[in-house]
Amino acid sequence: MSKADTVFDLEAASKYVGLGLVDFQRKVSELKVPGWKTGEFKRSILSKYFEIKSDEGFDSSVIAISNQKGGEGKTTISLYLAEALAENHKVLLIDWDPQANATQLFLNDDVPSVMDYLGYRGKKSKDIMPIIKNVSENFDLLPSTLELANLTTPYERDDFELLKEAILPIRSSYEYIIIDCPPSLGLILENALICADFILVPIQTRAFSLQGIRDLHETILKIQRKANQRLKLLGAVLNQFEGQKALAGLAEGVKKYFPVFETVIQRRESIPQAQAKMSFLAKIDLATMKNFRELAAEVKEKINVEKN
């Protein structure tokens, strides 16, 4: 079976074809659709027996938030950019970091490991829809666990596209999909960049934040050349900005490799406070939330320019 041929359970399959669970069960029994006895259905089989309305839904934009260096604010940017976008759009945040910080902010209970759904190392891929959690209106989360750290070595050629294939059936359900990437280069990051349409790079305003920028830039160029020609660089966002302490020429140093967003994210105590309270930023500090709304507006503008 191709890794692209997702396997749905009964509930996910009924949603995929746009029928209620009871109607779907009756239909597959009548038609003897392969899988009707086991309750597991291949996407390719469903497409043969049902009219899949692929022209409905959103033309989603998938944005990878990435910087190989730790401590640059990837999760913070991912969380609150997603929150800002979700005020007017349907958004999915993918926690694609084994540290699972975004997941732990929203979910106290143990969650299934996304690793069990990817089809890695000979396992059967499964539909990820059942493990997606709704955290607020228009805002869903695909959670992560430490087990994702085991995604290290490609065993098959398709292992570079595990995330891309996993989200393919749900892309039309969202306008924006944000991927919170890990602070490293490797198979996890390459999966994110091959899956993404756009990449945004958070950079803290300090001298050694420029270290590693060149390596990340080279990785992006390699992915664009060899694996994902549609990947576009939205630019770098200066994060935790303090005007009086900002280093002169930092933005110019970044511009050697990446365009720089006009919006900068100011350093505010309300950001760690919101995370400590496991709260949305808008409930803690509207002024800081306004900063992320400005970033969201600039992200949307850049994406519209690229698409048109």
Side-chain angles (χ1 to χ4, degrees), residues 58 81-91 137-139 175-176 293 296-297 300:
F58 301 113
L81 173 60
E83 181 181 347
L85 288 169
E87 291 179 340
N88 298 294
H89 306 279
K90 183 72 174 173
V91 177
E137 186 178 2
N138 288 334
F139 190 165
E175 290 174 86
Y176 295 95
R293 288 172 181 149
K300 290 194 292 183

Side-chain angles (χ1 to χ4, degrees), residues 93-114:
L93 173 60
I94 298 176
D95 189 351
W96 194 239
D97 186 342
Q99 296 180 63
N101 290 330
T103 298
Q104 292 162 15
L105 283 175
F106 292 116
L107 305 173
N108 290 318
D109 301 329
D110 290 336
V111 296
S113 172
V114 69

Side-chain angles (χ1 to χ4, degrees), residues 3 42 55 83 95 117 121 125 131 142 183 186 190 203 210 216 258 293 300:
K3 287 194 185 268
K42 294 181 182 179
D55 57 336
E83 181 181 347
D95 189 351
Y117 289 72
R121 295 190 69 172
S125 60
I131 64 170
L142 178 61
E190 289 183 340
I203 299 177
L210 290 176
L216 178 61
F258 305 122
R293 288 172 181 149
K300 290 194 292 183

Side-chain angles (χ1 to χ4, degrees), residues 67 69-72 202-213 239 247 250 254:
N67 188 326
K69 194 171 177 305
E72 298 301 305
I203 299 177
Q204 282 205 31
T205 50
R206 55 192 185 192
F208 52 88
S209 286
L210 290 176
Q211 297 173 5
I213 287 292
N239 187 33
L247 298 168
L250 175 69
V254 175

Side-chain angles (χ1 to χ4, degrees), residues 154-174:
Y155 285 80
E156 299 179 35
R157 196 173 76 177
D158 288 346
D159 286 347
F160 291 96
E161 299 189 354
L162 292 172
L163 181 59
K164 176 183 175 181
E165 296 299 340
I167 73 165
L168 196 58
I170 61 167
R171 278 195 62 151
S172 63
S173 300
Y174 300 95

